[in-house]
């Protein structure tokens, strides 16, 4: 299937874009359609050392990837093709190539304003909802890419099977990012959509604060903080503070649901339409993508007198067109009386006896 850096005889590997616990992402050239794509080599850590449950895991990965390929949403990355080499290999996923960089790159330049973070949160929430029950398990800034127009795209979907299976890693390493892992997932309990909402809340917290409240010097210390420590109130979140604190609670049942969260984020966005806060120390306005900035519409010119009704301006058959004056008379030798009508203006000839 792979020959001299060409996958499936069609996709030529150009450069490595990144990698993680679930595999490696390459920039590749589609030799048939002559376009650049992103090629995901699905190969979890330790897969070669311990293959117990390999076939069942591979089947689940394919099932989730095919389900995600049916999702058509601007905030979810598109899967163009799946390269399946057989029952003894992991698949390759051919995806759209997004070249605007990641949210992590933007946050490295400075934190976001609360209004910008609220807009970002609504886009990522829409992506989670559009996935129709496919859990993400790893919502973090590095998995959020930005299109050229500034829209956010949530990547990393479809690999919940890999992140659920700890038997794949001989060293016991954690595939998901412990910094953004919910307490129930860190404890090994079964999770659902509220766990992804915790991760989304932590992402927005980091976006407005510029720091992670529970990150420690080591992975075990970070996991202990996630499990046992409360998240401190943010200092720069402004109107977004209550929303974040309603997401970052240990009890999954007490967190905001998706519908309520979308309404709350929309309320914060509308509240910050006018008088957006000034960036603080270390904060750059450029860190906020264009689509996340909310600007009030510019006032247009005041409308003039309403246009005439269906009859329009009557045109005299012999003396040319005449425009009615403000006093209701024609500005010419042929005078008209313009009378109000519930549906239109009606022009009638005034009798000679009524002329002044």
């Amino acid at each position: 299937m792979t020959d001299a850096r060409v996958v499936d005889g069609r996709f030529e590997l150009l450069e490595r874009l990144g990698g993680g616990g679930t595999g490696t992402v390459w920039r590749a050239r589609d030799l048939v359609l002559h376009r650049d794509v992103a090629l995901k080599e699905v190969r979890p850590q330790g897969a070669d050392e311990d293959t117990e449950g390999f076939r069942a895991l591979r089947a689940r990965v394919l099932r989730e990837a095919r389900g995600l390929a049916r999702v058509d949403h601007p905030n979810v990355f598109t899967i163009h093709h799946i390269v399946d080499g057989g029952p003894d290999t992991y698949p390759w996923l051919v995806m759209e190539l997004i070249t605007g960089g990641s949210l992590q790159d933007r946050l490295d330049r400075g934190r976001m304003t609360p209004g910008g973070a609220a807009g970002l949160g609504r886009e990522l929430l829409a992506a989670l909802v559009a996935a129709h029950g496919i859990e993400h398990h790893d919502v973090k800034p590095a998995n959020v890419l930005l299109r050229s127009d500034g829209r956010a795209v949530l990547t990393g979907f479809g690999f919940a099977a890999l992140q659920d299976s700890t038997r794949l890693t001989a060293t016991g390493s954690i595939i998901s990012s412990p910094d953004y892992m919910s307490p129930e997932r860190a404890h090994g309990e079964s999770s659902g959509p509220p766990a992804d909402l915790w991760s989304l809340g932590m992402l927005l917290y980091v976006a407005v604060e510029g720091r992670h409240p529970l990150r420690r010097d080591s992975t075990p210390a970070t996991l202990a903080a996630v499990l046992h420590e409360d998240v401190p109130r943010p200092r720069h979140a402004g109107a977004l503070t209550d929303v974040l604190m309603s997401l970052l609670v240990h009890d999954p049942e007490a967190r905001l649901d998706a519908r309520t969260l979308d309404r709350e984020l929309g309320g914060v966005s509308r509240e910050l339409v006018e008088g957006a806060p000034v960036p603080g120390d270390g904060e750059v306005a450029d860190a906020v993508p264009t689509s996340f900035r909310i600007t009030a519409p510019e006032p247009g010119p005041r409308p003039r007198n309403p246009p005439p009704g269906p009859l329009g301006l009557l045109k005299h058959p012999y003396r040319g067109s005449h425009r009615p004056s403000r006093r209701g008379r024609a500005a010419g030798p042929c005078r008209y009386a313009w009378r109000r009508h519930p549906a239109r203006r009606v022009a009638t000839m005034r009798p000679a006896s009524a002329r002044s």
Side-chain angles (χ1 to χ4, degrees), residues 68-321:
L68 188 63
R70 293 192 294 269
V71 176
D72 183 15
H73 194 276
N75 300 119
V76 178
F77 73 99
T78 303
I79 295 181
H80 297 306
H81 182 62
I82 299 177
V83 178
D84 186 4
D88 297 327
T89 62
Y90 277 108
W92 294 68
L93 304 182
V94 183
M95 307 175 296
E96 64 172 321
L97 181 65
I98 302 172
T99 58
S102 70
L103 177 63
Q104 184 62 61
D105 298 333
R106 292 294 185 92
L107 296 182
D108 289 341
R109 292 155 47 193
R111 62 178 183 264
M112 296 176 63
T113 60
L120 168 66
R122 294 194 77 184
E123 293 195 3
L124 298 182
L125 178 61
L128 291 171
V129 173
H132 303 300
I134 300 178
E135 295 182 38
H136 192 285
H137 286 222
D138 202 16
V139 179
K140 60 182 180 181
N143 278 338
V144 178
L145 302 182
L146 303 176
R147 299 187 188 275
S148 56
D149 61 0
R151 287 181 301 171
V153 179
L154 185 58
T155 66
F157 271 111
F159 306 110
L162 302 181
Q163 293 155 347
D164 280 346
S165 178
T166 57
R167 294 176 297 178
L168 284 175
T169 55
T171 60
S173 60
I174 300 174
I175 294 179
S176 300
S177 303
D179 321 44
Y180 297 91
M181 188 183 298
S182 66
E184 60 269 25
R185 281 179 180 158
H187 199 267
E189 301 173 357
S190 60
S191 61
D196 281 339
L197 295 183
W198 164 285
S199 302
L200 175 59
M202 188 61 72
L203 180 149
L204 298 179
Y205 188 108
V206 173
V208 294
E209 291 294 294
R211 63 181 181 85
H212 196 292
L214 301 179
R215 182 175 293 160
R216 301 295 183 261
D217 294 335
S218 64
T219 297
T222 298
L223 287 175
V226 170
L227 285 170
H228 305 296
E229 296 183 19
D230 293 330
V231 178
R233 290 182 68 86
R235 296 179 299 171
H236 305 284
L240 196 60
T241 299
D242 291 339
V243 179
L244 296 179
M245 299 309 296
S246 298
L247 285 175
L248 299 175
V249 293
H250 284 256
D251 183 6
E253 299 296 329
R255 294 174 200 151
L256 298 177
D257 57 61
R259 184 183 298 273
T260 305
L261 176 59
D262 182 68
R263 183 172 63 249
E264 294 294 331
L265 291 175
V268 172
S269 300
R270 288 188 295 271
E271 183 178 342
L272 298 177
V273 165
E274 297 181 359
V278 179
D281 296 336
E283 183 176 2
V284 283
D286 245 1
V288 184
T290 304
S291 64
F292 304 154
R293 297 176 184 164
I294 305 170
T295 57
E298 296 182 0
R302 296 184 62 182
R304 303 183 65 180
N305 294 333
L311 293 181
L313 294 176
L314 296 183
K315 183 175 182 180
H316 194 275
Y318 303 108
R319 301 181 182 272
S321 60

Side-chain angles (χ1 to χ4, degrees), residues 340-351:
R340 294 281 183 179
H341 189 276
R344 63 185 184 275
R345 291 180 178 179
V346 179
T348 59
M349 286 293 297
R350 302 181 65 186

